Amino acid sequence: MHQTFDAALGINLLHANQTGADSNRDRFDEWGITCLNIMSSPGAGKTVLLEQTLEALSSEIKIAVIEGDMTTELDAERLRKYNVPVIAINTGRSCHLDSRMVAGGIHQLEHQYNPTDFDLVLVENVGNLVCPAEFEVGEHLKVALLSITEGEDKPLKYPIMFQQADCLLITKIDLAPYLDVDINRIEENVRQMNPHVKIIAISAKTGAGLEAWLDWVKSQIIIKPTLVGKPC
């Protein structure tokens, strides 16, 4: 069966994006940087997670952030308070970052700083449960967030992000007593999509799970780039 024009166009776009992502990853490898792509739906807690990560780790690990948002720099401004480089990328009408956009961020990082000084680049993707997982940006690892307020069925209804995640954070667990939700069922549904994913239940409000997340991040930084991406 012949592909439709739209299907062929989609394949070509993904192929071109993958070529750019591979090039971005080569740059990170050249500089000895680990890159994490942080993805979730809007409001799942990406930015507050990055705030807590920067507060805890920026004194011992050299970190830069590439911050994706459709129209504003509100999240970027929140993260700049932690005195780390934050490169803001506005995607306009696009619902995800792609490798070309992130290449522009890498270009800024290279010309404003010495990139070999950095250990970790955190990419905060645009809030969306579908498109960010389909477009690699040059990351070594994908981190997905799922708030318990989103329900138990999201890993089954939106499988791609959960299939590709190296680490999944189940967020806002402090709200569990007030919701008709089963965190164990969420984990079971995620495991159906991805049996090897690292799962951490976390609360930004209480700090539960934060140390496990920070330990996981630090463990990825000391792994050589050729080993990054192995199942957790």
Side-chain angles (χ1 to χ4, degrees):
M1 181 180 295
H2 294 293
Q3 293 175 336
T4 66
F5 175 78
D6 288 343
L9 180 60
I11 291 172
N12 290 337
L13 287 172
L14 288 173
H15 176 75
N17 183 79
Q18 187 62 53
T19 299
D22 293 341
S23 177
N24 291 346
R25 191 178 300 107
D26 287 344
R27 302 304 301 278
F28 289 135
D29 288 344
E30 176 187 347
W31 297 326
I33 292 172
T34 297
C35 178
L36 304 182
N37 185 2
I38 315 295
M39 306 177 295
S40 78
S41 61
K46 295 187 299 298
T47 307
V48 70
L49 175 73
L50 292 188
E51 286 179 316
Q52 294 182 325
T53 302
L54 295 177
E55 183 175 13
L57 296 182
S58 60
S59 62
E60 57 180 295
I61 296 170
K62 189 72 170 177
I63 304 173
V65 177
I66 296 177
E67 175 64 43
D69 212 338
M70 292 186 72
T71 58
T72 73
E73 292 194 17
L74 295 175
D75 291 344
E77 290 300 325
R78 286 171 58 180
L79 299 179
R80 289 185 179 120
K81 296 176 183 178
Y82 295 89
N83 297 314
V84 302
V86 179
I87 298 168
I89 299 176
N90 287 144
T91 65
R93 298 179 65 178
S94 179
C95 59
H96 61 276
L97 291 172
D98 61 25
S99 61
R100 178 184 56 82
M101 297 175 191
V102 171
I106 293 172
H107 179 78
Q108 291 186 50
L109 184 70
E110 183 178 11
H111 283 79
Q112 295 177 24
Y113 306 92
N114 180 358
T116 61
D117 288 342
F118 293 94
D119 305 301
L120 178 66
V121 167
L122 299 171
V123 176
E124 182 175 357
N125 220 309
V126 177
N128 188 305
L129 268 182
V130 180
C131 300
E134 294 190 297
F135 286 79
E136 289 197 10
V137 298
E139 72 274 17
H140 296 99
L141 295 158
K142 293 181 173 67
V143 178
L145 280 66
L146 177 67
S147 166
I148 64 169
T149 60
E150 297 175 73
E152 301 160 355
D153 60 351
K154 292 303 180 291
L156 306 179
K157 295 174 67 175
Y158 302 92
I160 296 177
M161 182 173 294
F162 301 96
Q163 290 168 343
Q164 296 192 8
D166 297 284
C167 183
L168 172 73
L169 301 181
I170 301 176
T171 65
K172 305 186 182 181
I173 60 170
D174 55 285
L175 297 177
Y178 311 102
L179 300 172
D180 183 18
V181 64
D182 185 340
I183 295 176
N184 291 329
R185 178 62 62 84
I186 294 176
E187 293 193 17
E188 291 171 3
N189 289 341
V190 170
R191 294 284 182 208
Q192 287 188 50
M193 300 296 102
N194 187 344
H196 303 294
V197 66
K198 174 76 172 180
I199 299 178
I200 302 172
I202 193 168
S203 167
K205 183 174 182 179
T206 68
L210 182 61
E211 284 302 318
W213 158 249
L214 297 174
D215 288 344
W216 183 84
V217 172
K218 289 187 286 187
S219 74
Q220 304 311 313
I221 293 171
I222 63 175
I223 294 175
K224 296 297 184 182
T226 54
L227 298 181
V228 170
K230 296 293 183 181
C232 301

